[in-house]
Structure formats: structure tokens, C-alpha cells
Amino acid sequence: MAIDVAALRAHFPSLAQGLAFFDGPGGTQTPVPVAEAVARTLTGPLSNRGLVSVSERNAEQAVAAFRSAYADLLGVPEGAVVHGRSATQLTYDFSRTLAKDWREGDEIVLSRLDHDANVRPWIQAAERAGVSVRWIELDTATAELDLGSYERALSPRTRLVAVTAASNVVGTRPPVRLIADRAHEAGALVFVDGVHYAAHHLVDVPALGADLFVCSPYKFLGPHCGVLAGAPDVLESLVPDKLLPSPDTVPERFEFGTLPYEILAGATAAVDFLAGLDTLGQGRPGEAPGTRAPRRERLARSLGALHEHENTVRARIEEGLRKLGDTVTVHSRAKERTPTVLMSFAGRDAREAQAHLAARGVVAPAGSFYAYEAFAALGLGGPALRVGLAPYNDCEDVDRLLEGLASFL
């Protein structure tokens, strides 16, 4: 089933401003149903969780609906879904908790491909624990991870392997299951940064082999927050620092303070919106709930259609860039990758390209996008321009982007 992009775009008031947004990897625009869910929950009645008053029950329902939605999105039990302020915050929290059991002489393995949110928390925890850091190197010719370096990095002393499921800067999708299987053979846990991956693919945390997996709803049409999904036995084994009166049950033991119920409601609405992408404009969203397929099944169908749409739009971008010639260097080269294209320009500053495009109503940021290790490995001494797709991008957006780049060069 193809996505009706015109019907999809009608749900995004920000698109009426006439801008073409290619900053999806940094955060997407928000559809009306998500904003309405936030406002509806926030205006209540709402109070702290409980079962006595309607306001307490509304809070309980917001939490339960959130866990159910992300269980469906990520392929895990509801009790394995943890809310956090951001993926970065969740990674820091879990790095401190995991490091409690690390001992001098232990090792962890990190990836040069990753966003710094899946690098620096682990390095800092390792430094405090006296643990060595080993690396999976980046093959700069292909923008793929060097799996030979991974084999050399693993040892019986490896306690953790942290790797991205998709690079936020060049789009590379490494073979996470292969990496996870080798880590488990060595007796290590696997922490997967799925922030960029979850925006483009249906996630199956157990199938990826991830013990812990983080993502960010604002990368796929939701509000600003983070979500962690974990293997239930791993979550049960971890004991974070927490307040004495706060719950000791999983997942509540990992959630500190009062939850933002309105944000949870918006994040839930984003999952429901994604589950109906392939039915927009066709009348099917109004069918009776009892006749609808399970949400996980609808997500698989919709995200499959989204994948086809994004591949079509990405192909149009890449063909247009080839026509611009050698003045453009494309650094996104992996065979398996998301619709994210990093580029630099011969003798030109990418920030000038960003400004040139912005003056023409095209939003495409320049920078290093917190991919510190990847930029160093690729030898990019300055900022590069990143073009990343979201569900609402269409061929008209692409044509504006390419026309803007042609006039810049």
C-alpha cells in the first residue's frame, strides 16, 4: 500500500509555512493529533497517578497507554518500556548503573560510527571504573564498520558492546544482530542506539539481539523525550540509585520523579499516527476498533510503505547530486543505509550552503551532528551538510533542494 503524501502533509500545520524540511534526523515536524493529545492530557483533569479520582486515573491511563504503544513499536513486553527525558539521559543513567559491576581489567567496546550519546557516557563510566575502551573502527571508503577490528576488540574481558543501529550522520546500518551475537558469545551485554533507526524501520529489539535499546519519539513525529526498551531479565538485574520511597519495580525503578503524562500521551499518539500512515486519505482510520488489525501489524504495514516511499525520494536526491558533478562529495556510501545523505563541497563551507538553502525556504543543517568519532574518522575538518528525510518529504521538496544546491554551486 502506497502512502498518500498529500493526505499525510495535511496533518502538519508547520508545512503550511512553505518550508521544505530536510532536518528529520535532528527532529521531525509534529502532526496535529500528537499536539492535541498533549493538550488534552495536560488540561486534564490530571494529577499524580492513582486509582481514586478521575484525575489520578487519567495519569495512570497515560502511562499504561505509553507502555503499550512502545511495546508494540519496539517488539517488547509492556513492562520492558522505560521513559526518559532523552536518549542521552537514559544512556547516562544506564551507564552509571551498569558500571557499578565493572572492575579494573574489564573492557568495553564502542563504535567510531556512533553519535556521541552512545560514546561519551560509556567512556566516562569506564574512566571512573578503571575499565579499558576498545573500538570498532570505521572503514572510510565504504562508511561501514570494520568488523575485523571488532573481532580484534572482543575478548573474554568484554563487559559491554555499544553500537548504533543506524548512523545519524551518514545513515549506515551496521549488522547489529551479527555484532550482538558475537558480543553475547564473549559474555557481554549489548546496548543499541536506535534513535535514527527507529525513525525509518520497524524495530524488533529481540531480533536485533539488543539487551538495551534507546530511541527518541521526536525523531518520528512525537514530542521531545526518550524511550528505552530492555530485555526483561537484564532490567530485573539492574539496580539504579533511586529515592527510597520510589517504586522498586521494573520499569518504574528507572524513572525518576513524576512522569510527564502529557508528553507520554503525545508519544503514544505518534505511534498511533505512524500505524495509520498507509491509510491516510482512504477512510480506513475510521473503521471500528474491533475490526482493525493489531497495532504491531498496522505498524509493520505502514512502516513498510514508508520505507518504499523514502527509498524513492532518496533515489531522486542521489541522482540529482550525481548530476551536480565533482563539486559535491557524498559521504553516505554504505550498502545498507537510511535515507540520510551527508555531503561536503569542494572549496566551500557547508554553512554557506545551509544559509543559501534557508534563504530559499529549504531547511538542511550543516555541522557534525554530535558524530564526533565519525567526523574524525572521515577526515572532515569542518561542517558538512546533512539531508535527512521524514515521512512528509515529497518530490517537490527534493526539486527545491536540488535547485538550491545547483544555484549555490
Side-chain angles (χ1 to χ4, degrees):
M1 184 72 68
I3 290 178
D4 184 337
V5 182
L8 169 65
R9 289 172 64 89
H11 290 274
F12 292 82
S14 61
L15 300 184
Q17 301 298 313
L19 300 174
F21 293 95
F22 289 96
D23 58 344
T28 52
Q29 302 303 300
T30 306
V32 168
V34 171
E36 289 178 340
V38 172
R40 185 169 57 249
T41 303
L42 192 59
T43 55
L46 186 68
S47 58
N48 279 333
R49 296 166 67 180
L51 299 176
V52 178
S53 69
V54 64
S55 57
E56 292 174 336
R57 293 194 296 272
N58 284 345
E60 287 285 358
Q61 175 56 31
V63 176
F66 167 78
R67 299 211 200 280
S68 175
Y70 283 83
D72 287 345
L73 183 70
L74 304 177
V76 297
E78 293 180 16
V81 174
V82 180
H83 167 270
R85 186 180 64 79
S86 67
T88 301
Q89 173 253 309
L90 284 164
T91 306
Y92 264 115
D93 287 346
F94 276 79
S95 72
R96 288 188 286 265
T97 298
L98 287 166
K100 289 180 179 182
D101 294 328
W102 295 350
R103 298 293 178 264
E104 189 170 344
D106 288 342
E107 298 175 352
I108 63 173
V109 177
L110 308 178
S111 150
R112 300 286 187 193
L113 186 62
D114 274 70
H115 187 290
D116 210 52
N118 203 29
V119 173
R120 216 56 46 187
W122 304 114
I123 288 178
Q124 291 162 356
E127 289 172 346
R128 289 191 294 269
V131 169
S132 299
V133 176
R134 310 289 297 275
W135 291 94
I136 313 175
E137 302 294 344
L138 183 63
D139 182 338
T140 58
T142 63
E144 304 266 15
L145 286 179
D146 177 356
L147 296 182
S149 70
Y150 178 49
E151 291 296 333
R152 293 188 293 274
L154 279 175
S155 82
R157 298 183 298 277
T158 305
R159 301 297 306 277
L160 174 94
V161 175
V163 68
T164 185
S167 165
N168 74 304
V169 70
V170 291
T172 300
R173 290 175 47 208
V176 173
R177 183 55 192 252
L178 184 153
I179 290 169
D181 286 347
R182 289 291 293 116
H184 292 149
E185 289 170 10
L189 290 176
V190 177
F191 190 100
V192 175
D193 174 359
V195 170
H196 190 58
Y197 181 86
H200 301 286
H201 298 276
L202 183 69
V203 178
D204 187 330
V205 171
L208 286 171
D211 297 298
L212 299 165
F213 177 100
V214 288
C215 64
S216 300
Y218 75 99
K219 308 290 188 176
F220 44 87
L221 315 181
H224 289 81
C225 64
V227 178
L228 181 141
D233 59 330
V234 172
L235 291 176
E236 289 288 352
S237 72
L238 300 178
V239 182
D241 293 331
K242 54 177 281 297
L243 302 182
L244 186 61
S246 64
D248 196 37
T249 53
V250 173
E252 283 84 356
R253 74 167 70 146
F254 302 106
E255 297 169 333
F256 310 127
T258 300
L259 289 170
Y261 307 119
E262 69 280 6
I263 297 299
L264 300 186
T268 300
V271 173
D272 286 330
F273 190 84
L274 287 172
L277 285 182
D278 69 327
T279 65
L280 292 171
Q282 300 171 31
R284 287 167 60 187
E287 59 194 355
T291 67
R292 301 177 74 184
R295 183 165 47 195
R296 176 75 177 176
E297 184 178 322
R298 288 182 280 124
L299 282 164
R301 188 176 62 212
S302 286
L303 292 176
L306 174 62
H307 185 63
E308 292 182 11
H309 167 68
E310 289 182 334
N311 279 345
T312 298
V313 179
R314 187 189 83 179
R316 192 181 184 97
I317 293 172
E318 292 174 341
E319 176 60 25
L321 292 177
R322 282 192 288 272
K323 291 179 179 178
L324 294 177
D326 295 338
T327 55
V328 180
T329 299
V330 175
H331 303 282
S332 301
R333 303 166 183 160
K335 182 178 180 181
E336 297 291 335
R337 61 185 186 275
T338 63
T340 301
V341 183
L342 187 75
M343 66 191 81
S344 55
F345 310 97
R348 305 293 298 274
D349 190 322
R351 288 169 294 201
E352 295 176 3
Q354 177 185 359
H356 182 87
L357 291 170
R360 287 153 181 79
V362 177
V363 180
S368 61
F369 311 104
Y370 284 71
Y372 179 85
E373 299 293 337
F375 258 66
L378 291 168
L380 292 168
L385 190 79
R386 182 181 66 186
V387 172
L389 298 182
Y392 41 73
N393 287 122
D394 59 14
C395 291
E396 183 178 336
D397 286 346
V398 173
D399 291 343
R400 291 177 62 188
L401 168 72
L402 294 172
E403 289 167 5
L405 287 174
S407 63
F408 169 70
L409 296 170

